[in-house]
């Protein structure tokens, strides 16, 4: 018995020491401008890591950069999905180790990073001089800054919003499909949902759009103030724009306009093939998704227009950041600046269709002349450039903004689609958002 | 006992004053004293690092409002626990866990015993059948989750297609709370029934043939022999299988996570219809990065498991005693 007690005491002792060490080690990790490691000499060998998710189109660019900078060796860590990638990144950020020298961050997770901006370098301090603000579309550049104006990320691609629609289905329902009529139909959310009600009525209950959450996200992204204001206070209950958007979307659901398919689910994928809906909110990157899911049998049936309800909007796109964990921040910032320079953005666009965010790239003829046969030969380059220029100001996204959208709003709208009343659904949204924002 | 004391006493009486111990003596005395600790140390060190430390550190973290990556988490005492006990979502997820657990474990064990009984009869190609029922267990859990989520798709799922062809109305497996529990329980059962059946089968075959023969001579039919010979002798095995499936059932995570239509979601459905406690814990910690609150959930879950383990222990003791009493 005494042996056991002594053993227990010993174990407790070890544990307590470990606890104390861990508690002490919790702090630190912040940086001031004075302790930025100096740049390596031109002959010094530097190894950099670059972490990205899904497709950034950097495969051919990395060897090119290594050729231009013989002393630099780059390891590219590629992850499949954005969600697990972001989780992994936040865990490594909390642990204080394991992040890459250049870490890509998706727009939806940017707010979590900006609220922890002390763990990242200010790129205006360590970046090369040519990475000046006028390179980017101003709203893209500004969204990469934290509340105090510290630049955390260089913008990579963007996702200007457009509307995709099935020309053949609209024709069958007796709705106009000429350019001018389509533009008036998609001019505002009211006209869009009114057309949807007509469509549902004439087709005997066929759905107008894929899911309520997809439209609601686009509507909230257009508002001057989102779920949180600049003081990180939750606005949901007082924000008239959000309330109006909720009323319009749930009203459309009530009229049978929604196909009730959760975006990116298997059922949603099947829905494309089954022609389950006639229109779809289409950020630039969505064209690839439509092509893949609707398949060659629906080629030419889909069309895309630059008339997006309520003007323009942005959905998606990423940033390249340099965490303070990096041992070679200056070299990392130089790499990030090079990767996001206009020439490289155009190459990435050619490789994987990531839409450029830099003014010069957007003026390039090779982008402007880009067409897409799948969407009836639409001049998609010109179209999305026009849409990108319609985006006015970046909406401030506070901490947990992405989680509110994905884990609270989308499920609440799904609940309404599954039969919950709009009022109860709204309560679910308010309660859920409050819980996350506390 | 008394003689020992006396002998020790006499020995002590004749002992001469000890000479100054040499280095060798001291080393050997050290050896006697310290060696046992060194021998058992590996277990305690490993347990301390991977078992006790996380447990205690989780308790420590649960006292803070600790956002992942925070430099200075706020100490808030037991507020996380207070909030947890008033958290409707937590109780909701606990209900879901228990419901899915009951819907999976109860039919699973009954079917496993019946399957084992079937397999222990003389079958052609017995090994083939036995391997066959174990196959679902060998398949990848994640792949199964994705396949079942597709089967139970509300619009284009195969199950609803079948229901409609036989003239029934389709079920929204995602939206309806009970339907989603049933679908997840089917997923769990499909995977684990064969595994449990094999364990029960092994126990069944260990039952002496003489008992069955004796019962046969007494005129007992198949059903009667099963109820009065096989089942009572299976009790220890059944208890083991019940306990392991309880542990598995309270930790159920992958199946509900993959059942959600939204890829990667930890919500457990639009209104958390099928969010289990571990899924809620995971969401709190690794999606909302609220480490303090997640630690509080982890500790409450730990206490619940300890409680249920205690109940199991009591129940097991009672069940294990019954045959003895009957025998006496």
């Amino acid at each position: 018995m005494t042996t056991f007690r002594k053993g227990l005491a010993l174990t407790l002792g070890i544990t307590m020491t470990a606890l104390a060490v861990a508690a002490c080690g919790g702090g630190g990790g912040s940086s001031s401008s004075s302790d930025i490691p100096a740049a390596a000499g031109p002959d010094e060998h530097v190894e950099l890591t670059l972490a990205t998710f899904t497709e950034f189109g950097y495969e051919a660019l990395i060897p090119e950069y290594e050729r231009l900078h013989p002393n630099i060796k780059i390891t590219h860590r590629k992850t499949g999905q954005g969600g697990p990638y972001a989780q992994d990144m936040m865990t490594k950020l909390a642990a204080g180790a394991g992040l890459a020298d250049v870490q890509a961050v998706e727009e939806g997770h940017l707010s979590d990073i900006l609220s922890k901006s002390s763990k990242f370098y200010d790129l205006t301090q360590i970046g090369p001089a040519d990475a000046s603000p006028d390179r980017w579309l101003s709203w893209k550049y500004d969204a990469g800054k934290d509340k105090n104006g510290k630049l955390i990320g260089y913008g990579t691609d963007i996702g200007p919003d457009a509307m995709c629609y099935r020309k053949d289905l609209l024709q069958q329902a007796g709705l106009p499909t000429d350019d001018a009529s389509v533009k008036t139909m998609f001019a505002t959310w009211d006209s869009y949902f009114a057309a949807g009600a007509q469509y549902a009525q004439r087709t005997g209950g066929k759905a107008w759009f894929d899911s309520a959450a997809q439209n609601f996200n686009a509507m909230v992204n257009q508002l001057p103030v989102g779920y949180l204001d600049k003081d990180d206070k939750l606005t949901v209950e007082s924000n008239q724009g959000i309330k109006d958007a909720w009323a319009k979307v749930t009203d459309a659901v009530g009229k049978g306009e929604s196909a009730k398919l959760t975006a990116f689910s298997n059922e949603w994928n099947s829905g494309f093939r089954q022609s389950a809906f006639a229109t779809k909110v289409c950020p630039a990157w969505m064209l690839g998704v439509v092509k893949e899911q609707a398949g060659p049998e629906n080629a030419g049936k889909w069309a895309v227009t630059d008339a997006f309800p309520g003007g323009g909007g942005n959905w998606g796109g990423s940033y390249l950041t340099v965490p303070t964990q990096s041992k070679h921040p200056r070299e990392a910032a130089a790499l990030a600046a090079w990767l996001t320079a206009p020439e490289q953005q155009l190459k990435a666009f050619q490789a994987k269709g990531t839409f450029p965010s830099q003014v010069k790239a957007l003026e390039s003829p090779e982008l402007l002349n880009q067409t897409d046969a799948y969407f009836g030969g639409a001049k998609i380059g010109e179209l999305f450039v026009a849409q990108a220029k319609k985006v006015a100001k970046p909406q401030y996204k506070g901490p947990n903004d992405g989680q509110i959208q994905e884990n609270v709003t989308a499920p609440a709208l799904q609940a309404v689609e599954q039969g919950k009343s709009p009022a109860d659904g709204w309560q679910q949204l308010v309660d859920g958002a409050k819980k996350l924002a506390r | 006992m008394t003689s020992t004391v006396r002998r020790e006493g006499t020995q002590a009486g004749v002992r001469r004053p000890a000479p100054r111990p040499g280095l060798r003596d001291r080393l050997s005395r050290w050896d006697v004293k310290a060696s046992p600790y060194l021998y058992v140390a590996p277990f305690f060190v490993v347990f301390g690092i991977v078992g006790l430390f996380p447990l205690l550190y989780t308790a420590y973290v649960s006292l803070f409002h600790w956002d992942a990556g925070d430099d200075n988490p706020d100490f808030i005492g037991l507020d996380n626990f207070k909030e947890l006990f008033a958290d409707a979502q937590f109780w909701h997820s606990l209900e879901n866990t228990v419901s899915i657990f009951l819907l999976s474990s109860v039919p699973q064990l009954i079917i496993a015993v019946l399957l084992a009984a079937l397999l222990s009869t003389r079958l052609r190609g017995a090994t083939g059948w036995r391997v066959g029922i174990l196959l679902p267990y060998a398949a990848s859990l994640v792949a199964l989750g994705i396949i079942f989520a597709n089967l139970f798709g509300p619009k284009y799922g195969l199950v609803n297609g079948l229901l409609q062809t036989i003239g029934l109305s389709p079920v929204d497996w995602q939206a309806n709370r009970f339907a989603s529990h049933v679908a997840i329980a089917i997923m769990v059962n499909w995977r684990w029934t064969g595994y449990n059946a094999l364990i029960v089968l092994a126990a069944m075959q260990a039952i002496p043939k003489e008992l069955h023969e004796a019962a046969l001579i007494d005129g007992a039919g198949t059903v009667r022999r099963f109820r009065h010979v096989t089942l009572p002798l299976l009790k220890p095995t059944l208890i083991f299988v019940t306990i392991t499936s309880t542990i598995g059932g309270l930790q159920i995570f992958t199946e509900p996570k993959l059942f959600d239509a939204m890829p990667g979601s930890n919500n457990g459905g639009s209104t958390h219809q099928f969010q289990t406690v571990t899924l809620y814990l995971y969401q709190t910690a690794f999606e909302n990065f609220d480490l303090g609150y997640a630690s509080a959930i982890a500790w409450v879950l730990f206490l619940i498991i300890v409680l249920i383990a205690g109940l199991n222990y009591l129940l097991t003791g009672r069940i294990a005693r019954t045959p003895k009493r009957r025998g006496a």
Side-chain angles (χ1 to χ4, degrees):
Chain A
M1 192 58 200
T2 43
T3 319
F4 173 72
R5 249 185 233 157
K6 273 183 196 162
L8 194 67
L10 187 77
T11 321
L12 276 174
I14 294 169
T15 317
M16 287 309 163
T17 321
L19 270 173
V21 170
C24 295
S30 63
S31 78
S32 63
S33 56
S34 57
D35 54 30
I36 300 169
D43 300 324
E44 202 180 320
H45 185 72
V46 175
E47 288 193 8
L48 293 177
T49 46
L50 164 70
T52 63
F53 52 91
T54 62
E55 301 296 347
F56 274 65
Y58 289 167
E59 283 71 22
L61 294 175
I62 290 166
E64 192 182 334
Y65 191 80
E66 286 178 330
R67 230 178 4 258
L68 295 169
H69 303 82
N71 64 324
I72 287 178
K73 164 112 185 50
I74 300 166
T75 312
H76 188 189
R77 297 187 208 149
K78 250 178 91 170
T79 310
Q81 278 182 311
Y85 170 85
Q87 263 180 27
D88 176 66
M89 177 174 71
M90 291 305 286
T91 315
K92 284 173 174 162
L93 190 67
L99 288 177
D101 294 291
V102 177
Q103 186 84 27
V105 180
E106 212 265 331
E107 181 219 31
H109 299 284
L110 187 65
S111 65
D112 300 321
I113 298 294
L114 290 179
S115 65
K116 295 182 174 60
S117 57
S118 66
K119 312 243 171 184
F120 291 86
Y121 282 108
D122 186 345
L123 293 173
T124 57
Q125 282 188 23
I126 62 163
D130 63 339
S132 55
D134 54 343
R135 257 193 186 184
W136 281 270
L137 289 167
S138 61
W139 58 265
K140 178 72 178 179
Y141 185 83
D142 289 344
K145 290 194 242 173
D146 78 349
K147 262 189 284 190
N148 305 317
K150 181 176 169 184
L151 185 72
I152 302 303
Y154 287 138
T156 61
D157 58 321
I158 50 173
D161 282 331
M163 189 61 85
C164 293
Y165 62 99
R166 284 282 297 268
K167 228 172 184 157
D168 59 326
L169 293 182
L170 261 62
Q171 258 161 5
Q172 283 166 28
L175 289 172
T177 52
D178 62 292
D179 252 16
S181 311
V182 164
K183 279 188 177 162
T184 38
M185 193 159 66
F186 292 158
T188 66
W189 288 106
D190 287 324
S191 65
Y192 171 71
F193 288 131
Q198 225 176 1
Y199 177 83
Q201 209 177 17
R202 289 192 191 174
T203 54
K206 276 174 130 187
W208 180 237
F209 52 79
D210 53 341
S211 79
Q214 291 277 295
N215 292 325
F216 190 76
N217 286 352
M219 292 164 92
V220 171
N221 277 339
Q222 287 176 331
L223 298 173
V225 180
Y227 294 112
L228 300 139
D229 63 16
K230 286 230 161 115
D231 303 320
D232 294 337
K233 283 230 170 63
L234 199 65
T235 68
V236 179
E237 280 177 297
S238 59
N239 195 329
Q240 197 56 43
I242 294 181
K243 280 190 201 167
D244 288 346
W246 178 270
K248 282 177 194 172
V249 170
T250 52
D251 179 56
V253 170
K255 287 180 177 144
E257 293 182 38
S258 173
K260 308 175 182 182
L261 298 167
T262 305
F264 304 103
S265 68
N266 293 313
E267 296 254 301
W268 186 71
N269 293 343
S270 309
F272 273 107
R273 280 181 196 269
Q274 310 270 352
S275 306
F277 44 89
T279 65
K280 167 91 204 74
V281 171
C282 261
W285 47 266
M286 189 67 87
L287 297 189
V289 179
V290 173
K291 267 187 248 180
E292 192 183 329
Q293 299 305 340
E297 65 266 32
N298 287 314
K301 292 179 184 169
W302 279 98
V304 55
T305 172
D306 60 354
F308 191 75
N314 183 67
W315 185 351
S318 299
Y319 288 83
L320 295 183
T321 66
V322 180
T324 52
Q325 292 177 18
S326 169
K327 289 201 176 69
H328 302 287
R330 288 184 192 277
E331 286 77 11
L335 170 64
W338 185 83
L339 284 171
T340 54
E343 304 79 34
Q344 279 66 250
Q345 284 203 340
L346 279 173
K347 284 181 195 164
F349 173 71
Q350 292 299 341
K352 296 288 175 191
T354 51
F355 204 78
S357 63
Q358 297 215 329
V359 181
K360 263 202 185 147
L362 294 176
E363 285 163 357
S364 105
E366 75 181 290
L367 180 68
L368 290 169
N369 293 330
Q370 187 86 15
T371 57
D372 197 322
Y374 193 90
F375 290 87
K379 288 188 105 180
I380 54 161
E382 203 178 281
L383 188 148
F384 281 108
V385 168
Q387 289 305 95
K389 287 181 176 159
K390 280 187 202 164
V391 181
K393 254 174 75 184
Q395 182 190 80
Y396 172 74
K397 306 234 182 218
N400 286 326
D401 185 283
Q403 277 91 314
I404 293 176
Q405 181 164 309
E406 277 172 42
N407 300 337
V408 177
T409 309
L413 283 163
Q414 195 192 353
V416 172
E417 289 175 333
Q418 288 169 346
K420 211 172 192 179
S421 78
D424 288 350
W426 175 255
Q427 198 52 47
Q428 187 182 333
L429 194 166
V430 171
D431 293 344
K434 273 186 187 162
K435 204 172 164 192
L436 270 180
R438 91 201 147 86
Chain B
M1 199 63 186
T2 39
S3 67
T4 331
V5 173
R6 201 181 304 140
R7 204 181 302 145
E8 271 176 4
T10 49
Q11 265 179 353
V14 296
R15 194 194 273 169
R16 286 171 294 158
R20 275 175 66 85
L23 178 66
R24 225 179 136 155
D25 282 335
R26 260 184 287 160
L27 275 181
S28 86
R29 205 175 298 164
W30 252 97
D31 183 30
V32 170
K33 268 194 181 165
S35 294
Y37 293 117
L38 281 176
Y39 293 141
V40 297
F43 166 74
F44 282 103
V45 170
V46 171
F47 172 73
I49 294 169
V50 302
L52 198 61
F53 171 68
L55 197 72
L56 294 177
Y57 193 62
T58 308
Y60 170 74
V61 172
S62 73
L63 304 177
F64 290 83
H65 181 73
W66 196 318
D67 204 27
D70 258 3
D71 290 332
N72 302 303
D74 304 324
F75 181 82
I76 52 168
L78 292 174
D79 281 6
N80 276 328
F81 289 94
K82 269 185 220 156
E83 201 179 319
L84 186 62
F85 287 122
D87 182 356
Q89 194 180 340
F90 172 72
W91 296 113
H92 188 80
S93 67
L94 191 61
E95 276 170 34
N96 290 343
T97 310
V98 172
S99 161
I100 293 171
F101 157 62
L102 289 177
L103 280 171
S104 53
S105 288
V106 175
Q108 188 185 117
L109 294 182
I110 293 171
I111 296 170
V113 172
L114 295 180
L115 260 181
L118 212 65
L119 283 175
S120 69
T121 57
R122 261 187 227 136
L123 283 173
R124 205 175 279 177
T127 319
W129 291 108
R130 284 171 200 177
V131 171
I133 63 160
L134 197 63
L135 271 185
Y137 177 68
S140 150
L141 179 55
V142 173
L144 291 186
I146 293 168
I147 291 168
F148 272 87
N150 270 314
L151 291 180
F152 287 103
K155 277 223 170 113
Y156 306 114
L158 189 68
V159 175
N160 272 348
L162 285 176
L163 287 180
Q164 275 166 307
T165 45
I166 58 169
L168 294 171
S169 55
V171 179
D172 194 338
W173 297 101
Q174 292 276 336
N176 185 302
R177 191 176 178 195
F178 184 70
S180 68
H181 293 184
V182 170
I184 291 168
I186 289 174
M187 218 186 289
V188 177
N189 289 340
W190 193 77
R191 185 172 153 81
W192 287 96
T193 308
Y195 172 84
N196 286 325
L198 276 198
I199 292 177
V200 176
L201 176 65
M204 248 179 216
Q205 297 200 321
I207 294 172
K209 279 208 177 80
E210 293 80 5
L211 290 174
H212 276 289
E213 282 160 7
L216 206 61
I217 290 164
D218 287 346
T222 321
V223 175
R224 219 186 146 126
R225 267 185 292 136
F226 180 72
R227 275 189 56 201
H228 294 283
V229 179
T230 312
L231 272 188
L233 288 166
L234 278 183
K235 246 174 204 169
T237 310
L238 289 180
I239 288 163
F240 167 76
V241 172
T242 313
I243 289 174
T244 50
S245 68
T246 310
I247 293 169
L250 290 174
Q251 292 175 344
I252 188 161
F253 173 77
T254 318
E255 289 91 346
K257 181 169 167 65
L258 293 170
F259 188 67
D260 202 314
M262 201 185 291
S265 166
N266 303 311
N267 260 318
S270 60
T271 51
H272 312 297
Q273 300 96 317
F274 48 93
Q275 188 177 48
T276 55
V277 177
T278 41
L279 201 52
Y280 183 41
L281 161 68
Y282 181 79
Q283 181 176 44
T284 313
F286 298 111
E287 198 170 66
N288 304 334
F289 299 107
D290 197 346
L291 296 187
Y293 198 61
S295 301
I297 299 177
W299 255 84
V300 172
L301 181 64
F302 170 69
L303 293 179
I304 289 172
I305 290 178
V306 167
L307 193 81
I308 291 177
L311 279 178
N312 260 334
Y313 179 77
L314 285 178
L315 223 64
T316 321
R318 185 165 293 178
I319 294 169
R321 239 179 286 130
T322 24
K324 255 190 204 163
R325 224 184 268 153
R326 248 185 232 154

